[in-house]
Amino acid sequence: MYIDGVFSGGGIKGYALIGACEAIEKQGFRFKRMAGTSAGSMIAAMLAAGYTAREAGKLVDEMDLKRFMDLRNNLFPLPFAKWLLLYWRLGLYKGAELERWIQEKLAAKGLRTFGDLHPETLRVVASDLTNGRLMIIPDDLPKYGLDPRRFSVAKAIRMSCSLPFFFEPVKIKDPIGNNIIVDGGVLSNFPMWLFDKENVKKVRPVIGIRLSHNLQEHPRHKISNAVHMFEALFETMKDAHDSRYISRRHEKNIIFVPVEGVSFTDFGMSDEKKEQLKQLGRNCAQQFLRKWCY
């Protein structure tokens, strides 16, 4: 049976998305249309390319996460030099290796541009800081003078995964100048609204996978210093848009995976921890599917 899928962002926590997708596929469901933010957009793209969740999981397991921490060459080998690059480049790491890896894996399945996909198969969420608005790729590309059919899917994923200050933002030129594009999670970390809208009949059942507690069980933020406050501020900001949209009606179609104690950028994560995250995703999806009424 075909369904539509929505995958939230979460950085390295995205291993849990793979486990959840494995459980969904095991029940005989296949994704027809997909939307995602950040790590969710990467998983969505791999499924859109034709990988099964298990195959995507093997590819992700094999990749060297530390390879993606690609610093720029620095003419001044001083301890604080990378912080100077952060000031000028707006990110510690280039993000080029991440894009290159995604491009390679998608190309192996014949997926390079959005023109290689059936319309609406894949939608990727990014944040346009220059114009202060959400960017839905490929839908919004014509606004920037870009042809969606020729736009690289790997580039779109790179844009959606550009965690502010960690990866350098992507710059998209238009007649006015550069547009600074960063992680979609800044404005919408869980774009369930793309497929499940009020007063609009759904084309097919929709399942969303969100890497957090449900709205009633969300733990209180513990704020005792400035770092804690920044973390709480960023999490509140990225979830505000989606939390306002998600109602009781939508919750019945969402798999909540409460990933705790894992940093978005824990690129040194052990294989054991990766498997634990995937198993958490499987468990949450299995519990959901036992009672899901579509």
Side-chain angles (χ1 to χ4, degrees):
M1 177 178 177
Y2 283 109
I3 61 174
D4 292 336
V6 180
F7 312 126
S8 80
I12 297 303
K13 300 177 185 180
Y15 279 97
L17 294 173
I18 296 172
C21 288
E22 287 180 7
I24 291 170
E25 291 182 352
K26 192 172 182 179
Q27 289 296 313
F29 295 107
R30 295 294 180 268
F31 294 106
K32 186 72 171 180
R33 298 185 303 172
M34 287 151 284
T37 298
S38 194
S41 71
M42 183 188 300
I43 302 305
M46 296 182 81
L47 296 177
Y51 289 106
T52 65
R54 185 170 292 276
E55 289 170 340
K58 288 182 179 179
L59 290 177
V60 174
D61 284 341
E62 293 169 359
M63 69 183 182
D64 179 7
L65 292 174
K66 292 184 178 179
R67 166 186 170 187
F68 301 146
M69 300 171 70
D70 48 350
L71 285 166
R72 287 190 174 276
N73 293 327
N74 198 335
L75 297 176
F76 306 98
L78 301 173
F80 59 86
K82 70 176 184 179
W83 301 107
L84 292 177
L85 284 175
L86 172 62
Y87 181 82
W88 293 111
R89 294 288 184 174
L90 309 180
L92 284 173
Y93 305 106
K94 293 187 291 183
E97 286 297 323
L98 174 63
E99 182 177 342
R100 189 175 295 116
W101 184 86
I102 297 169
Q103 186 175 44
E104 175 187 320
K105 300 309 176 186
L106 296 183
K109 288 286 190 177
L111 176 56
R112 294 176 175 80
T113 70
F114 282 93
D116 296 323
L117 292 170
H118 188 276
E120 295 190 357
T121 297
L122 176 66
R123 293 158 102 181
V124 174
V125 176
S127 300
D128 178 349
L129 296 187
T130 301
N131 296 292
R133 65 190 180 195
L134 273 172
M135 184 178 183
I136 309 301
I137 309 169
D139 304 35
D140 292 336
L141 291 174
K143 297 177 182 177
Y144 300 82
L146 298 170
D147 182 353
R149 296 168 300 176
R150 298 183 179 181
F151 197 81
S152 165
V153 175
K155 175 67 72 176
I157 307 307
R158 159 78 175 87
M159 292 160 70
S160 186
C161 291
S162 295
L163 186 66
F165 304 117
F166 189 81
F167 285 123
E168 293 178 14
V170 175
K171 296 179 180 179
I172 299 294
K173 290 185 177 180
D174 65 14
I176 299 176
N178 283 325
N179 298 283
I180 303 298
I181 314 297
V182 300
D183 195 308
V186 171
L187 295 179
S188 181
N189 201 47
F190 183 56
M192 190 77 173
W193 45 272
L194 282 171
F195 294 148
D196 194 354
K197 299 178 181 179
E198 296 282 358
N199 303 317
V200 177
K201 186 177 180 180
K202 287 184 288 189
V203 177
R204 62 188 62 82
V206 178
I207 287 182
I209 309 173
R210 183 170 180 174
L211 300 177
S212 70
H213 292 268
N214 64 35
L215 303 184
Q216 287 70 43
E217 298 176 356
H218 195 289
R220 290 165 56 88
H221 293 124
K222 296 180 180 179
I223 304 172
S224 58
N225 57 49
V227 174
H228 292 165
M229 188 175 79
F230 178 80
E231 291 174 345
L233 178 66
F234 186 76
E235 183 174 347
T236 301
M237 176 181 65
K238 71 181 180 62
D239 289 341
H241 175 276
D242 303 319
S243 295
R244 182 179 180 183
Y245 168 79
I246 296 171
S247 66
R248 287 282 189 179
R249 184 179 74 84
H250 299 106
E251 281 198 33
K252 67 182 179 65
N253 295 319
I254 299 173
I255 301 171
F256 292 95
V257 185
V259 180
E260 297 180 333
V262 178
S263 168
F264 283 82
T265 57
D266 184 8
F267 283 7
M269 180 181 292
S270 67
D271 291 341
E272 181 182 6
K273 185 62 178 179
K274 294 174 187 176
E275 184 54 38
Q276 288 175 358
L277 286 175
K278 286 194 283 187
Q279 189 58 48
L280 175 63
R282 293 187 196 103
N283 293 342
C284 291
Q286 288 165 358
Q287 292 174 14
F288 168 87
L289 291 169
R290 280 196 287 267
K291 59 183 180 180
W292 186 45
C293 296
Y294 51 85

